[in-house]
Amino acid sequence: MFGPDGFSPNGLLPNEVASVTQALEPERWATAEERTTELIACIQPNQPSEERRNAVLCYVQRLIMNCFPCQVFTFGSVPLKTYLPDGDIDLTVFTENLNLKETWANEVRDILEHEEKNENAEFHVKEVQYIQAEVKIIKCLVENIVVDISFDQLGGLCTLCFLEELLLMSALTFKVDQLIGQNHLFKRSIILIKAWCYYESRILGAHHGLISTYALETLV
């Protein structure tokens, strides 16, 4: 796509091209686009990071599902593929046994602490914590990746579906990322803005009383 002067910055809406290209020289926009692309390439998910997180995810899922009858799902930035290099893995546990609602956290903590002491464990587990907040969370490090485990958090899965799958428009259903297109502009925008908010401005992190990742993604 090209503007009136033969240049169009990637990701701009067609009706915005003229005003932007008139305000800044094409060379400066091209330089900015190139540097932005290089930055995103350094911090976005890649095959090694995907394989590493998938291995840790499967490992923790197996531990929990061997502990009691349940299903374990991931949500958040890992399945959305918008995580930063320091991003964590969010898991939530679902079971038909309602009695486990009061005991699941202690059982999961016990099995993770057992793995922490197991010298032959498949992965290195450490810093197991039980956070008894409004939403109870088991937090630990697995291969130096933060893993947060919650129970029956349907909202997390709904958020993932909203961002990944559904956008209602004219009574039709589209995939958000597919609808916007332009080489995953939506997800690349999230990664870039998350990186600035986390590493530069220090305004991202709900557990520190800062803006949540979901709020940021909704704004994007």
Side-chain angles (χ1 to χ4, degrees):
M1 183 190 300
F2 294 93
D5 58 359
F7 172 76
S8 174
N10 292 333
L12 286 181
L13 296 176
N15 59 348
E16 299 294 333
V17 170
S19 61
V20 172
T21 53
Q22 289 171 4
L24 291 175
E25 298 86 349
E27 293 78 11
R28 294 178 64 185
W29 263 111
T31 299
E33 292 278 2
E34 182 180 353
R35 292 181 179 176
T36 300
T37 300
E38 291 174 356
L39 174 60
I40 293 176
C42 291
I43 61 177
Q44 70 182 355
N46 52 40
Q47 184 173 347
S49 69
E50 284 284 281
E51 292 176 350
R52 181 166 172 255
R53 276 172 169 74
N54 285 337
V56 168
L57 168 63
C58 292
Y59 167 68
V60 177
Q61 281 180 321
R62 288 197 306 271
L63 288 178
I64 298 173
M65 294 174 68
N66 288 336
C67 188
F68 49 80
C70 65
Q71 292 292 317
V72 182
F73 297 94
T74 181
F75 62 97
S77 60
V78 170
L80 193 62
K81 300 189 189 307
T82 57
Y83 58 85
L84 299 177
D86 299 319
D88 57 8
I89 297 175
D90 292 301
L91 299 174
T92 189
V93 179
F94 291 92
T95 178
E96 295 180 356
N97 186 348
L98 298 180
N99 295 327
L100 285 172
K101 189 171 184 178
E102 301 300 324
T103 63
W104 76 271
N106 289 324
E107 294 188 43
V108 172
R109 179 185 61 184
D110 289 345
I111 196 169
L112 288 172
E113 288 178 342
H114 178 269
E115 287 295 289
E116 186 175 11
K117 299 172 183 176
N118 181 8
E119 295 181 355
N120 297 318
E122 182 179 350
F123 291 103
H124 187 203
V125 179
K126 61 182 180 180
E127 298 183 21
V128 180
Q129 304 175 57
Y130 178 15
I131 301 175
Q132 301 191 52
E134 181 179 353
V135 176
K136 296 178 181 178
I137 294 177
I138 301 294
K139 184 183 288 287
C140 64
L141 285 175
V142 181
E143 293 297 301
N144 290 320
I145 297 176
V146 176
V147 178
D148 287 346
I149 306 166
S150 58
F151 183 83
D152 204 23
Q153 289 302 300
L154 186 61
L157 295 180
C158 290
T159 298
L160 173 63
C161 289
F162 168 70
L163 292 171
E164 178 69 72
E165 297 290 346
L166 302 180
L167 176 64
L168 298 180
M169 182 180 297
S170 302
L172 297 176
T173 302
F174 300 94
K175 287 188 176 182
V176 175
D177 192 54
Q178 178 178 318
L179 178 67
I180 296 174
Q182 301 194 56
N183 189 27
H184 302 287
L185 175 64
F186 175 63
K187 293 185 179 182
R188 289 188 294 118
S189 298
I190 289 176
I191 293 170
L192 184 64
I193 297 172
K194 276 177 67 174
W196 181 82
C197 290
Y198 185 76
Y199 296 116
E200 297 293 332
S201 65
R202 309 291 181 179
I203 63 172
L204 184 67
H207 54 289
H208 294 305
L210 305 174
I211 187 174
S212 69
T213 298
Y214 178 50
L216 175 65
E217 290 168 342
T218 304
L219 288 171
V220 174

mmCIF file of all heavy atoms in Angstrom, residues 10-52:
data_model
loop_
_atom_site.group_PDB
_atom_site.id
_atom_site.type_symbol
_atom_site.label_atom_id
_atom_site.label_comp_id
_atom_site.label_asym_id
_atom_site.label_seq_id
_atom_site.Cartn_x
_atom_site.Cartn_y
_atom_site.Cartn_z
ATOM 1 N N ASN A 10 3.535 1.150 7.659
ATOM 2 C CA ASN A 10 2.785 -0.065 7.939
ATOM 3 C C ASN A 10 1.804 0.168 9.072
ATOM 4 O O ASN A 10 2.121 0.796 10.066
ATOM 5 C CB ASN A 10 3.736 -1.194 8.344
ATOM 6 C CG ASN A 10 4.599 -1.632 7.194
ATOM 7 O OD1 ASN A 10 4.211 -1.495 6.052
ATOM 8 N ND2 ASN A 10 5.776 -2.140 7.495
ATOM 9 N N GLY A 11 0.598 -0.371 8.942
ATOM 10 C CA GLY A 11 -0.355 -0.347 10.028
ATOM 11 C C GLY A 11 -1.260 0.856 10.064
ATOM 12 O O GLY A 11 -2.179 0.907 10.874
ATOM 13 N N LEU A 12 -1.052 1.857 9.224
ATOM 14 C CA LEU A 12 -1.923 3.027 9.238
ATOM 15 C C LEU A 12 -3.202 2.737 8.466
ATOM 16 O O LEU A 12 -3.194 2.047 7.448
ATOM 17 C CB LEU A 12 -1.226 4.236 8.607
ATOM 18 C CG LEU A 12 -0.127 4.897 9.436
ATOM 19 C CD1 LEU A 12 0.429 6.080 8.669
ATOM 20 C CD2 LEU A 12 -0.651 5.356 10.783
ATOM 21 N N LEU A 13 -4.315 3.269 8.969
ATOM 22 C CA LEU A 13 -5.554 3.161 8.230
ATOM 23 C C LEU A 13 -5.450 3.980 6.943
ATOM 24 O O LEU A 13 -4.819 5.040 6.926
ATOM 25 C CB LEU A 13 -6.712 3.672 9.086
ATOM 26 C CG LEU A 13 -6.982 2.868 10.366
ATOM 27 C CD1 LEU A 13 -8.081 3.532 11.183
ATOM 28 C CD2 LEU A 13 -7.372 1.439 10.038
ATOM 29 N N PRO A 14 -6.072 3.535 5.871
ATOM 30 C CA PRO A 14 -5.931 4.220 4.582
ATOM 31 C C PRO A 14 -6.256 5.704 4.641
ATOM 32 O O PRO A 14 -5.576 6.517 4.025
ATOM 33 C CB PRO A 14 -6.918 3.458 3.687
ATOM 34 C CG PRO A 14 -6.987 2.090 4.287
ATOM 35 C CD PRO A 14 -6.862 2.298 5.770
ATOM 36 N N ASN A 15 -7.300 6.093 5.396
ATOM 37 C CA ASN A 15 -7.681 7.501 5.421
ATOM 38 C C ASN A 15 -6.769 8.350 6.291
ATOM 39 O O ASN A 15 -6.950 9.558 6.387
ATOM 40 C CB ASN A 15 -9.135 7.652 5.891
ATOM 41 C CG ASN A 15 -9.355 7.074 7.274
ATOM 42 O OD1 ASN A 15 -8.499 6.369 7.789
ATOM 43 N ND2 ASN A 15 -10.506 7.341 7.854
ATOM 44 N N GLU A 16 -5.795 7.711 6.974
ATOM 45 C CA GLU A 16 -4.850 8.454 7.798
ATOM 46 C C GLU A 16 -3.502 8.635 7.108
ATOM 47 O O GLU A 16 -2.643 9.352 7.602
ATOM 48 C CB GLU A 16 -4.628 7.739 9.138
ATOM 49 C CG GLU A 16 -5.885 7.588 9.980
ATOM 50 C CD GLU A 16 -6.416 8.920 10.460
ATOM 51 O OE1 GLU A 16 -5.599 9.858 10.601
ATOM 52 O OE2 GLU A 16 -7.629 9.048 10.669
ATOM 53 N N VAL A 17 -3.299 7.965 5.997
ATOM 54 C CA VAL A 17 -1.997 7.970 5.332
ATOM 55 C C VAL A 17 -1.571 9.377 4.940
ATOM 56 O O VAL A 17 -0.450 9.816 5.195
ATOM 57 C CB VAL A 17 -2.012 7.048 4.094
ATOM 58 C CG1 VAL A 17 -0.738 7.244 3.280
ATOM 59 C CG2 VAL A 17 -2.123 5.592 4.535
ATOM 60 N N ALA A 18 -2.474 10.120 4.302
ATOM 61 C CA ALA A 18 -2.110 11.432 3.761
ATOM 62 C C ALA A 18 -1.638 12.384 4.855
ATOM 63 O O ALA A 18 -0.602 13.036 4.722
ATOM 64 C CB ALA A 18 -3.301 12.037 3.016
ATOM 65 N N SER A 19 -2.386 12.450 5.973
ATOM 66 C CA SER A 19 -2.037 13.404 7.025
ATOM 67 C C SER A 19 -0.703 13.065 7.667
ATOM 68 O O SER A 19 0.090 13.947 7.997
ATOM 69 C CB SER A 19 -3.140 13.435 8.088
ATOM 70 O OG SER A 19 -3.299 12.170 8.683
ATOM 71 N N VAL A 20 -0.429 11.773 7.831
ATOM 72 C CA VAL A 20 0.818 11.366 8.483
ATOM 73 C C VAL A 20 2.009 11.571 7.566
ATOM 74 O O VAL A 20 3.053 12.083 7.978
ATOM 75 C CB VAL A 20 0.732 9.895 8.949
ATOM 76 C CG1 VAL A 20 2.092 9.409 9.443
ATOM 77 C CG2 VAL A 20 -0.311 9.752 10.044
ATOM 78 N N THR A 21 1.883 11.158 6.323
ATOM 79 C CA THR A 21 3.015 11.279 5.406
ATOM 80 C C THR A 21 3.329 12.732 5.088
ATOM 81 O O THR A 21 4.458 13.052 4.721
ATOM 82 C CB THR A 21 2.739 10.510 4.101
ATOM 83 O OG1 THR A 21 1.481 10.936 3.559
ATOM 84 C CG2 THR A 21 2.699 9.015 4.353
ATOM 85 N N GLN A 22 2.343 13.617 5.221
ATOM 86 C CA GLN A 22 2.611 15.035 5.025
ATOM 87 C C GLN A 22 3.322 15.636 6.226
ATOM 88 O O GLN A 22 4.077 16.594 6.104
ATOM 89 C CB GLN A 22 1.299 15.789 4.761
ATOM 90 C CG GLN A 22 0.692 15.480 3.403
ATOM 91 C CD GLN A 22 -0.704 16.068 3.249
ATOM 92 O OE1 GLN A 22 -1.188 16.759 4.131
ATOM 93 N NE2 GLN A 22 -1.349 15.758 2.126
ATOM 94 N N ALA A 23 3.067 15.064 7.426
ATOM 95 C CA ALA A 23 3.647 15.612 8.648
ATOM 96 C C ALA A 23 5.103 15.188 8.826
ATOM 97 O O ALA A 23 5.919 15.940 9.367
ATOM 98 C CB ALA A 23 2.831 15.160 9.854
ATOM 99 N N LEU A 24 5.471 13.997 8.393
ATOM 100 C CA LEU A 24 6.824 13.489 8.577
ATOM 101 C C LEU A 24 7.386 12.986 7.251
ATOM 102 O O LEU A 24 6.653 12.442 6.426
ATOM 103 C CB LEU A 24 6.832 12.351 9.599
ATOM 104 C CG LEU A 24 6.543 12.739 11.058
ATOM 105 C CD1 LEU A 24 6.464 11.494 11.912
ATOM 106 C CD2 LEU A 24 7.600 13.687 11.595
ATOM 107 N N GLU A 25 8.694 13.139 7.112
ATOM 108 C CA GLU A 25 9.337 12.702 5.881
ATOM 109 C C GLU A 25 9.295 11.173 5.791
ATOM 110 O O GLU A 25 9.432 10.476 6.791
ATOM 111 C CB GLU A 25 10.795 13.164 5.838
ATOM 112 C CG GLU A 25 10.973 14.669 5.864
ATOM 113 C CD GLU A 25 11.001 15.224 7.268
ATOM 114 O OE1 GLU A 25 10.676 14.462 8.204
ATOM 115 O OE2 GLU A 25 11.333 16.405 7.426
ATOM 116 N N PRO A 26 9.094 10.650 4.566
ATOM 117 C CA PRO A 26 9.058 9.192 4.396
ATOM 118 C C PRO A 26 10.306 8.501 4.924
ATOM 119 O O PRO A 26 10.221 7.386 5.456
ATOM 120 C CB PRO A 26 8.934 9.037 2.874
ATOM 121 C CG PRO A 26 8.279 10.301 2.415
ATOM 122 C CD PRO A 26 8.815 11.369 3.323
ATOM 123 N N GLU A 27 11.477 9.154 4.794
ATOM 124 C CA GLU A 27 12.713 8.532 5.262
ATOM 125 C C GLU A 27 12.684 8.301 6.776
ATOM 126 O O GLU A 27 13.125 7.263 7.266
ATOM 127 C CB GLU A 27 13.919 9.395 4.883
ATOM 128 C CG GLU A 27 14.206 9.496 3.393
ATOM 129 C CD GLU A 27 13.271 10.459 2.676
ATOM 130 O OE1 GLU A 27 12.535 11.195 3.377
ATOM 131 O OE2 GLU A 27 13.275 10.485 1.428
ATOM 132 N N ARG A 28 12.157 9.297 7.505
ATOM 133 C CA ARG A 28 12.087 9.160 8.959
ATOM 134 C C ARG A 28 11.099 8.073 9.361
ATOM 135 O O ARG A 28 11.343 7.310 10.298
ATOM 136 C CB ARG A 28 11.702 10.506 9.584
ATOM 137 C CG ARG A 28 12.775 11.581 9.406
ATOM 138 C CD ARG A 28 12.331 12.906 10.007
ATOM 139 N NE ARG A 28 12.156 12.793 11.440
ATOM 140 C CZ ARG A 28 11.681 13.781 12.223
ATOM 141 N NH1 ARG A 28 11.340 14.936 11.670
ATOM 142 N NH2 ARG A 28 11.552 13.610 13.518
ATOM 143 N N TRP A 29 9.974 7.997 8.658
ATOM 144 C CA TRP A 29 9.015 6.939 8.944
ATOM 145 C C TRP A 29 9.614 5.570 8.638
ATOM 146 O O TRP A 29 9.436 4.615 9.385
ATOM 147 C CB TRP A 29 7.746 7.138 8.111
ATOM 148 C CG TRP A 29 6.646 7.827 8.864
ATOM 149 C CD1 TRP A 29 6.151 9.076 8.656
ATOM 150 C CD2 TRP A 29 5.912 7.286 9.954
ATOM 151 N NE1 TRP A 29 5.154 9.354 9.560
ATOM 152 C CE2 TRP A 29 4.986 8.276 10.373
ATOM 153 C CE3 TRP A 29 5.947 6.079 10.636
ATOM 154 C CZ2 TRP A 29 4.107 8.079 11.430
ATOM 155 C CZ3 TRP A 29 5.069 5.885 11.702
ATOM 156 C CH2 TRP A 29 4.159 6.865 12.077
ATOM 157 N N ALA A 30 10.326 5.477 7.530
ATOM 158 C CA ALA A 30 10.931 4.199 7.154
ATOM 159 C C ALA A 30 11.941 3.748 8.205
ATOM 160 O O ALA A 30 12.013 2.564 8.565
ATOM 161 C CB ALA A 30 11.594 4.322 5.782
ATOM 162 N N THR A 31 12.743 4.700 8.721
ATOM 163 C CA THR A 31 13.714 4.377 9.766
ATOM 164 C C THR A 31 13.010 3.904 11.032
ATOM 165 O O THR A 31 13.420 2.922 11.671
ATOM 166 C CB THR A 31 14.582 5.610 10.080
ATOM 167 O OG1 THR A 31 15.286 6.001 8.905
ATOM 168 C CG2 THR A 31 15.585 5.284 11.185
ATOM 169 N N ALA A 32 11.929 4.617 11.398
ATOM 170 C CA ALA A 32 11.174 4.225 12.594
ATOM 171 C C ALA A 32 10.565 2.834 12.431
ATOM 172 O O ALA A 32 10.599 2.019 13.360
ATOM 173 C CB ALA A 32 10.078 5.252 12.878
ATOM 174 N N GLU A 33 10.014 2.556 11.257
ATOM 175 C CA GLU A 33 9.431 1.240 10.990
ATOM 176 C C GLU A 33 10.492 0.148 11.088
ATOM 177 O O GLU A 33 10.258 -0.921 11.663
ATOM 178 C CB GLU A 33 8.800 1.229 9.594
ATOM 179 C CG GLU A 33 7.575 2.090 9.436
ATOM 180 C CD GLU A 33 6.310 1.415 9.930
ATOM 181 O OE1 GLU A 33 6.397 0.278 10.430
ATOM 182 O OE2 GLU A 33 5.233 2.022 9.815
ATOM 183 N N GLU A 34 11.660 0.418 10.536
ATOM 184 C CA GLU A 34 12.733 -0.576 10.544
ATOM 185 C C GLU A 34 13.190 -0.882 11.965
ATOM 186 O O GLU A 34 13.358 -2.050 12.342
ATOM 187 C CB GLU A 34 13.913 -0.072 9.709
ATOM 188 C CG GLU A 34 15.072 -1.054 9.624
ATOM 189 C CD GLU A 34 16.214 -0.518 8.782
ATOM 190 O OE1 GLU A 34 16.056 0.555 8.162
ATOM 191 O OE2 GLU A 34 17.272 -1.178 8.760
ATOM 192 N N ARG A 35 13.383 0.152 12.771
ATOM 193 C CA ARG A 35 13.844 -0.051 14.145
ATOM 194 C C ARG A 35 12.770 -0.728 14.988
ATOM 195 O O ARG A 35 13.079 -1.543 15.862
ATOM 196 C CB ARG A 35 14.261 1.285 14.752
ATOM 197 C CG ARG A 35 15.521 1.858 14.103
ATOM 198 C CD ARG A 35 15.939 3.174 14.720
ATOM 199 N NE ARG A 35 17.159 3.682 14.093
ATOM 200 C CZ ARG A 35 17.712 4.855 14.386
ATOM 201 N NH1 ARG A 35 17.135 5.654 15.293
ATOM 202 N NH2 ARG A 35 18.816 5.239 13.773
ATOM 203 N N THR A 36 11.508 -0.375 14.746
ATOM 204 C CA THR A 36 10.412 -1.022 15.470
ATOM 205 C C THR A 36 10.352 -2.503 15.142
ATOM 206 O O THR A 36 10.170 -3.350 16.026
ATOM 207 C CB THR A 36 9.073 -0.354 15.119
ATOM 208 O OG1 THR A 36 9.116 1.029 15.489
ATOM 209 C CG2 THR A 36 7.926 -1.025 15.855
ATOM 210 N N THR A 37 10.523 -2.825 13.869
ATOM 211 C CA THR A 37 10.513 -4.231 13.446
ATOM 212 C C THR A 37 11.653 -5.001 14.107
ATOM 213 O O THR A 37 11.473 -6.147 14.560
ATOM 214 C CB THR A 37 10.641 -4.322 11.915
ATOM 215 O OG1 THR A 37 9.535 -3.635 11.310
ATOM 216 C CG2 THR A 37 10.652 -5.771 11.454
ATOM 217 N N GLU A 38 12.829 -4.394 14.184
ATOM 218 C CA GLU A 38 13.975 -5.043 14.835
ATOM 219 C C GLU A 38 13.699 -5.277 16.315
ATOM 220 O O GLU A 38 14.038 -6.331 16.868
ATOM 221 C CB GLU A 38 15.223 -4.175 14.658
ATOM 222 C CG GLU A 38 15.729 -4.104 13.219
ATOM 223 C CD GLU A 38 16.877 -3.117 13.058
ATOM 224 O OE1 GLU A 38 17.212 -2.433 14.062
ATOM 225 O OE2 GLU A 38 17.443 -3.027 11.953
ATOM 226 N N LEU A 39 13.092 -4.277 16.980
ATOM 227 C CA LEU A 39 12.790 -4.411 18.403
ATOM 228 C C LEU A 39 11.793 -5.524 18.654
ATOM 229 O O LEU A 39 12.004 -6.375 19.535
ATOM 230 C CB LEU A 39 12.248 -3.084 18.941
ATOM 231 C CG LEU A 39 11.750 -3.083 20.394
ATOM 232 C CD1 LEU A 39 12.876 -3.477 21.335
ATOM 233 C CD2 LEU A 39 11.171 -1.729 20.760
ATOM 234 N N ILE A 40 10.719 -5.550 17.878
ATOM 235 C CA ILE A 40 9.708 -6.590 18.056
ATOM 236 C C ILE A 40 10.303 -7.972 17.814
ATOM 237 O O ILE A 40 9.992 -8.938 18.525
ATOM 238 C CB ILE A 40 8.508 -6.330 17.124
ATOM 239 C CG1 ILE A 40 7.773 -5.054 17.545
ATOM 240 C CG2 ILE A 40 7.540 -7.512 17.149
ATOM 241 C CD1 ILE A 40 6.638 -4.661 16.624
ATOM 242 N N ALA A 41 11.187 -8.072 16.827
ATOM 243 C CA ALA A 41 11.821 -9.363 16.529
ATOM 244 C C ALA A 41 12.631 -9.878 17.716
ATOM 245 O O ALA A 41 12.757 -11.089 17.918
ATOM 246 C CB ALA A 41 12.714 -9.237 15.294
ATOM 247 N N CYS A 42 13.170 -8.958 18.526
ATOM 248 C CA CYS A 42 13.985 -9.352 19.684
ATOM 249 C C CYS A 42 13.147 -9.811 20.866
ATOM 250 O O CYS A 42 13.615 -10.629 21.675
ATOM 251 C CB CYS A 42 14.876 -8.187 20.121
ATOM 252 S SG CYS A 42 16.188 -7.767 18.957
ATOM 253 N N ILE A 43 11.938 -9.279 20.996
ATOM 254 C CA ILE A 43 11.162 -9.551 22.213
ATOM 255 C C ILE A 43 9.930 -10.412 21.983
ATOM 256 O O ILE A 43 9.354 -10.930 22.948
ATOM 257 C CB ILE A 43 10.720 -8.230 22.886
ATOM 258 C CG1 ILE A 43 9.828 -7.416 21.943
ATOM 259 C CG2 ILE A 43 11.928 -7.424 23.325
ATOM 260 C CD1 ILE A 43 9.289 -6.140 22.568
ATOM 261 N N GLN A 44 9.524 -10.610 20.750
ATOM 262 C CA GLN A 44 8.305 -11.377 20.516
ATOM 263 C C GLN A 44 8.577 -12.879 20.679
ATOM 264 O O GLN A 44 9.730 -13.327 20.652
ATOM 265 C CB GLN A 44 7.770 -11.104 19.111
ATOM 266 C CG GLN A 44 8.615 -11.678 17.994
ATOM 267 C CD GLN A 44 8.062 -11.334 16.621
ATOM 268 O OE1 GLN A 44 6.997 -10.743 16.496
ATOM 269 N NE2 GLN A 44 8.787 -11.704 15.574
ATOM 270 N N PRO A 45 7.525 -13.672 20.900
ATOM 271 C CA PRO A 45 7.701 -15.123 20.992
ATOM 272 C C PRO A 45 8.385 -15.691 19.760
ATOM 273 O O PRO A 45 8.130 -15.243 18.633
ATOM 274 C CB PRO A 45 6.257 -15.627 21.108
ATOM 275 C CG PRO A 45 5.497 -14.489 21.704
ATOM 276 C CD PRO A 45 6.124 -13.258 21.126
ATOM 277 N N ASN A 46 9.265 -16.644 19.976
ATOM 278 C CA ASN A 46 9.926 -17.337 18.875
ATOM 279 C C ASN A 46 9.889 -18.831 19.150
ATOM 280 O O ASN A 46 9.361 -19.272 20.182
ATOM 281 C CB ASN A 46 11.362 -16.842 18.696
ATOM 282 C CG ASN A 46 12.153 -16.894 19.993
ATOM 283 O OD1 ASN A 46 12.032 -17.853 20.768
ATOM 284 N ND2 ASN A 46 12.947 -15.865 20.261
ATOM 285 N N GLN A 47 10.426 -19.623 18.259
ATOM 286 C CA GLN A 47 10.319 -21.068 18.398
ATOM 287 C C GLN A 47 10.963 -21.588 19.678
ATOM 288 O O GLN A 47 10.338 -22.386 20.397
ATOM 289 C CB GLN A 47 10.917 -21.774 17.180
ATOM 290 C CG GLN A 47 10.728 -23.292 17.234
ATOM 291 C CD GLN A 47 11.163 -23.979 15.952
ATOM 292 O OE1 GLN A 47 11.385 -23.328 14.938
ATOM 293 N NE2 GLN A 47 11.259 -25.289 16.003
ATOM 294 N N PRO A 48 12.187 -21.169 20.053
ATOM 295 C CA PRO A 48 12.766 -21.660 21.313
ATOM 296 C C PRO A 48 11.932 -21.278 22.534
ATOM 297 O O PRO A 48 11.736 -22.108 23.438
ATOM 298 C CB PRO A 48 14.150 -20.985 21.345
ATOM 299 C CG PRO A 48 14.473 -20.725 19.913
ATOM 300 C CD PRO A 48 13.171 -20.382 19.264
ATOM 301 N N SER A 49 11.433 -20.036 22.580
ATOM 302 C CA SER A 49 10.639 -19.630 23.740
ATOM 303 C C SER A 49 9.307 -20.368 23.777
ATOM 304 O O SER A 49 8.808 -20.721 24.852
ATOM 305 C CB SER A 49 10.405 -18.113 23.727
ATOM 306 O OG SER A 49 9.541 -17.721 22.685
ATOM 307 N N GLU A 50 8.724 -20.619 22.608
ATOM 308 C CA GLU A 50 7.478 -21.368 22.548
ATOM 309 C C GLU A 50 7.684 -22.799 23.043
ATOM 310 O O GLU A 50 6.886 -23.326 23.830
ATOM 311 C CB GLU A 50 6.948 -21.389 21.118
ATOM 312 C CG GLU A 50 6.308 -20.102 20.657
ATOM 313 C CD GLU A 50 4.929 -19.918 21.248
ATOM 314 O OE1 GLU A 50 3.969 -20.531 20.758
ATOM 315 O OE2 GLU A 50 4.816 -19.166 22.241
ATOM 316 N N GLU A 51 8.758 -23.435 22.581
ATOM 317 C CA GLU A 51 9.029 -24.816 22.990
ATOM 318 C C GLU A 51 9.306 -24.895 24.485
ATOM 319 O O GLU A 51 8.847 -25.826 25.160
ATOM 320 C CB GLU A 51 10.213 -25.358 22.192
ATOM 321 C CG GLU A 51 9.908 -25.543 20.707
ATOM 322 C CD GLU A 51 11.120 -25.986 19.909
ATOM 323 O OE1 GLU A 51 12.249 -25.975 20.477
ATOM 324 O OE2 GLU A 51 10.960 -26.332 18.726
ATOM 325 N N ARG A 52 10.043 -23.927 25.012
ATOM 326 C CA ARG A 52 10.367 -23.914 26.440
ATOM 327 C C ARG A 52 9.107 -23.755 27.283
ATOM 328 O O ARG A 52 8.895 -24.491 28.255
ATOM 329 C CB ARG A 52 11.357 -22.784 26.717
ATOM 330 C CG ARG A 52 11.818 -22.664 28.163
ATOM 331 C CD ARG A 52 13.025 -21.761 28.239
ATOM 332 N NE ARG A 52 13.411 -21.458 29.603
ATOM 333 C CZ ARG A 52 13.201 -20.299 30.211
ATOM 334 N NH1 ARG A 52 12.589 -19.319 29.560
ATOM 335 N NH2 ARG A 52 13.584 -20.102 31.457
#
